[in-house]
Amino acid sequence: MNTQTIKSKLELSGAKDFKLQDLAMMSLSPILRSLQHWWLQRAERHYLICADVEQQRAKEAQMNVAYYQKRAALARSARN
């Protein structure tokens, strides 16, 4: 190996150690806050999708009601 490659590997490992040191010294509250923010965003998206699905179901149910009411009216008018 040439000296440049060895030197860059040493610098890289030093950077990793430095980052791990930073993480060890860092408070957990920003990490927990970030996780909570991610979780709440995910929950919001989930519930918005559920609301859309329920809205679509309600629309389809309303269309079904209208269809059967029309069929009932046709049957009633054919009877008379």
Side-chain angles (χ1 to χ4, degrees), residues 49-77:
I49 289 169
C50 289
D52 287 343
V53 167
E54 290 301 322
Q55 189 174 23
Q56 185 62 33
R57 284 183 186 164
K59 183 179 176 182
E60 289 173 4
Q62 191 64 36
M63 289 171 56
N64 288 344
V65 167
Y67 171 79
Y68 288 116
Q69 285 175 342
K70 181 179 176 183
R71 297 291 301 228
L74 289 172
R76 186 172 34 252
S77 68

Side-chain angles (χ1 to χ4, degrees), residues 8-24:
S8 66
K9 283 186 179 182
L10 285 174
E11 288 172 358
L12 183 60
S13 69
K16 285 181 184 175
D17 291 341
F18 183 70
K19 288 179 184 176
L20 288 176
Q21 255 184 336
D22 280 351
L23 286 175

